């Protein structure tokens, strides 16, 4: 009898366990749960814990839909925006948002993140175009960029609230010039750098010429001063030499005259190889040829003088 009841007991136990299992759901700290009963929102669980619901979700009695409670992000890439000057940027941006009202999120987009992000992307695209279009070319690359992102976030905030979302942050990942604007900007910057280089080169040449002129003037002044000093020293040397000669002539006039004559002979007959026939008695210049004392000979016969022969 007992053995015949065992299958029934096991089946009943299994049914009870199935009912308990299908009636329990768990909410963790990173998510929130929407309890749906016959397609309508029955309750929203935002606190982590163990909760109960009606079983048989397959009969559409009570069904649980989980949505994220943590911050979420989506990206928008390669948006072509025009600034007030007519030039174009290519912009990459991202949005950080959080599902704050799970009930409204379920009612508006049926709890579908893709549908919600699609609507936010459309609004983000329009907000970026509006904010960039009100500003000039350099604004997105300056300190004004933070204010621009605040404006974009404020534009998104109103639409996000209707979806049960809260916009935590909006950031620009990349702001690049479009290809044609990049080329024009590069050409303009290149022309500016070339003009600046020419200006620097011209200033350098001007400075070089000025310094060369100063150096040339200093060279002329230094050479003139050196020549003046040399002339002064040469004059002083000549004066000292003449003083020495004068003193020597006073001490021994005959020796001084002899020395001067020997120096004159050396200078006049330095080339050598010549034979001169001169009347010594008719020239005081050669008076030392015949007499060391410098007296003229008595005879008027011409004397044979060989400048290369040694004197007696």
């Amino acid at each position: 009898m007992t053995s015949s009841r065992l299958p029934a007991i096991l089946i009943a136990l299994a049914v009870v366990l199935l009912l308990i299992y299908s009636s329990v759901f768990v909410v963790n700290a990173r998510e929130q749960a929407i309890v749906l009963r016959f397609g309508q929102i029955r309750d929203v669980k935002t606190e982590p814990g163990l909760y109960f619901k009606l079983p048989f979700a397959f009969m559409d009695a009570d069904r649980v839909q989980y949505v994220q409670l943590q911050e979420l992000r989506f990206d928008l890439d390669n948006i072509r925006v025009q600034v007030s000057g007519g030039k174009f940027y290519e912009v990459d941006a991202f949005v950080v948002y959080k599902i704050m009202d799970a009930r409204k999120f379920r009612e508006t987009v049926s709890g579908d993140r893709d549908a919600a992000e699609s609507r936010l992307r459309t609004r983000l695209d329009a907000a970026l175009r509006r904010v960039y279009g009100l500003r000039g070319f350099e604004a997105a690359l300056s300190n004004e960029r933070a204010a621009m992102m605040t404006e974009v976030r404020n534009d998104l905030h109103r639409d996000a609230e209707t979806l049960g979302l809260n916009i935590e942050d909006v950031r620009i990942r990349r702001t690049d010039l479009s290809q044609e604007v990049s080329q024009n900007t590069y050409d303009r910057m290149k022309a500016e750098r070339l003009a600046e280089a020419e200006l620097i080169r011209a200033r350098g040449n001007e400075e070089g010429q000025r310094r060369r002129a100063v150096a040339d003037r200093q060279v002329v002044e230094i050479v003139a001063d050196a020549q003046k000093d040399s002339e002064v020293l040469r004059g002083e040397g000549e004066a000292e030499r003449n003083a020495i000669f004068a003193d020597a002539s006073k001490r021994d006039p005959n020796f001084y005259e002899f020395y001067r004559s020997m120096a004159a002979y050396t200078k006049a007959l330095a080339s050598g190889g010549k034979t001169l026939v001169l009347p010594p008695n008719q020239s005081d210049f050669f008076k030392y040829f015949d007499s060391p004392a410098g007296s003229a000979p008595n005879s008027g016969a011409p004397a044979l003088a060989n400048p290369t022969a040694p004197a007696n």
Side-chain angles (χ1 to χ4, degrees), residues 87-102:
K87 296 180 179 180
F88 288 90
Y89 277 121
E90 290 181 357
V91 178
D92 292 347
F94 69 88
V95 174
V96 177
Y97 68 96
K98 191 174 183 180
I99 302 173
M100 300 300 295
D101 190 339

Side-chain angles (χ1 to χ4, degrees), residues 59-77:
M59 297 176 60
D60 207 18
D62 277 3
R63 183 167 58 87
V64 178
Q65 181 179 11
Y66 293 97
V67 295
Q68 296 292 329
L69 186 59
Q70 59 190 2
E71 292 182 347
L72 304 171
R73 164 178 166 167
F74 73 88
D75 294 74
L76 190 64
D77 298 330

Side-chain angles (χ1 to χ4, degrees), residues 82-144:
Q82 185 177 17
V83 296
S84 61
K87 296 180 179 180
F88 288 90
Y89 277 121
E90 290 181 357
V91 178
D92 292 347
F94 69 88
V95 174
V96 177
Y97 68 96
K98 191 174 183 180
I99 302 173
M100 300 300 295
D101 190 339
R103 184 182 297 273
K104 187 179 293 186
F105 183 66
R106 167 66 190 184
E107 291 173 348
T108 52
V109 291
S110 300
D112 187 355
R113 278 182 54 191
D114 293 336
E117 290 180 359
S118 177
R119 293 177 60 172
L120 287 179
R121 279 192 176 90
T122 302
R123 185 57 186 163
L124 176 61
D125 185 286
L128 287 173
R129 294 179 187 278
R130 185 189 69 80
V131 171
Y132 273 84
L134 295 176
R135 289 167 173 80
F137 181 72
E138 294 81 8
L141 305 178
S142 66
N143 294 332
E144 195 175 350

Side-chain angles (χ1 to χ4, degrees), residues 180-200:
E180 60 274 15
V181 176
S182 296
Q183 185 62 42
N184 293 337
T185 303
Y186 171 77
D187 293 339
R188 177 174 58 82
M189 293 176 63
K190 180 179 179 181
E192 291 176 354
R193 297 290 83 77
L194 289 175
E196 185 177 357
E198 289 296 331
L199 178 61
I200 294 174

Side-chain angles (χ1 to χ4, degrees), residues 6 24 47 69 100 111 121 128 144 209 216 243 252 265:
L6 183 59
V24 175
E47 297 296 329
L69 186 59
M100 300 300 295
R121 279 192 176 90
L128 287 173
E144 195 175 350
Q209 292 177 357
D216 292 341
D252 192 345
Y265 294 160

Side-chain angles (χ1 to χ4, degrees), residues 15-301:
V15 171
V16 171
L17 291 176
L18 178 60
L19 290 175
I20 294 174
Y21 176 77
S22 60
S23 300
V24 175
F25 65 96
V26 177
V27 178
N28 62 42
R30 298 189 302 273
E31 60 188 8
Q32 48 192 331
I34 305 172
V35 181
L36 302 171
R37 180 172 295 172
F38 302 110
Q40 300 299 319
I41 300 176
R42 180 72 177 82
D43 196 5
V44 176
K45 305 298 184 182
T46 58
E47 297 296 329
L50 181 67
Y51 296 94
F52 295 92
K53 64 178 181 63
L54 293 179
F56 308 118
F58 62 90
M59 297 176 60
D60 207 18
D62 277 3
R63 183 167 58 87
V64 178
Q65 181 179 11
Y66 293 97
V67 295
Q68 296 292 329
L69 186 59
Q70 59 190 2
E71 292 182 347
L72 304 171
R73 164 178 166 167
F74 73 88
D75 294 74
L76 190 64
D77 298 330
N78 299 323
I79 303 302
R80 185 180 173 90
V81 296
Q82 185 177 17
V83 296
S84 61
K87 296 180 179 180
F88 288 90
Y89 277 121
E90 290 181 357
V91 178
D92 292 347
F94 69 88
V95 174
V96 177
Y97 68 96
K98 191 174 183 180
I99 302 173
M100 300 300 295
D101 190 339
R103 184 182 297 273
K104 187 179 293 186
F105 183 66
R106 167 66 190 184
E107 291 173 348
T108 52
V109 291
S110 300
D112 187 355
R113 278 182 54 191
D114 293 336
E117 290 180 359
S118 177
R119 293 177 60 172
L120 287 179
R121 279 192 176 90
T122 302
R123 185 57 186 163
L124 176 61
D125 185 286
L128 287 173
R129 294 179 187 278
R130 185 189 69 80
V131 171
Y132 273 84
L134 295 176
R135 289 167 173 80
F137 181 72
E138 294 81 8
L141 305 178
S142 66
N143 294 332
E144 195 175 350
R145 184 170 179 173
M148 295 170 63
M149 295 305 96
T150 301
E151 286 188 37
V152 174
R153 185 181 64 184
N154 292 338
D155 283 355
L156 289 177
H157 184 70
R158 291 187 294 270
D159 286 346
E161 280 187 338
T162 63
L163 300 175
L165 308 178
N166 182 62
I167 302 300
E168 301 291 331
D169 199 6
V170 177
R171 283 289 181 267
I172 300 298
R173 290 193 294 111
R174 178 179 67 93
T175 300
D176 287 339
L177 297 172
S178 61
Q179 184 62 35
E180 60 274 15
V181 176
S182 296
Q183 185 62 42
N184 293 337
T185 303
Y186 171 77
D187 293 339
R188 177 174 58 82
M189 293 176 63
K190 180 179 179 181
E192 291 176 354
R193 297 290 83 77
L194 289 175
E196 185 177 357
E198 289 296 331
L199 178 61
I200 294 174
R201 190 178 294 110
R203 289 176 178 174
N205 291 334
E206 180 182 357
E207 181 66 16
Q209 292 177 357
R210 186 186 67 80
R211 294 191 178 189
R212 281 192 293 270
V214 171
D216 292 341
R217 185 179 70 250
Q218 290 177 346
V219 168
V220 172
E221 292 175 353
I222 292 172
V223 171
D225 291 341
Q227 289 178 347
K228 182 185 71 174
D229 293 342
S230 67
E231 292 297 331
V232 170
L233 293 175
R234 187 178 293 109
E236 292 176 353
E238 292 289 341
E240 187 174 356
R241 185 192 65 175
N242 293 336
I244 293 173
F245 283 160
D247 182 65
S249 65
K250 290 179 181 179
R251 293 183 181 185
D252 192 345
N254 292 331
F255 175 77
Y256 178 74
E257 184 178 0
F258 174 76
Y259 174 78
R260 291 292 301 273
S261 297
M262 292 299 102
Y265 294 160
T266 301
K267 185 175 181 180
L269 304 177
S271 60
K274 297 179 181 178
T275 300
L276 302 177
V277 179
L278 300 170
N281 58 346
Q282 294 183 5
S283 175
D284 290 338
F285 183 72
F286 295 103
K287 64 183 178 179
Y288 288 103
F289 271 41
D290 293 330
S291 173
S295 59
N298 294 326
S299 174

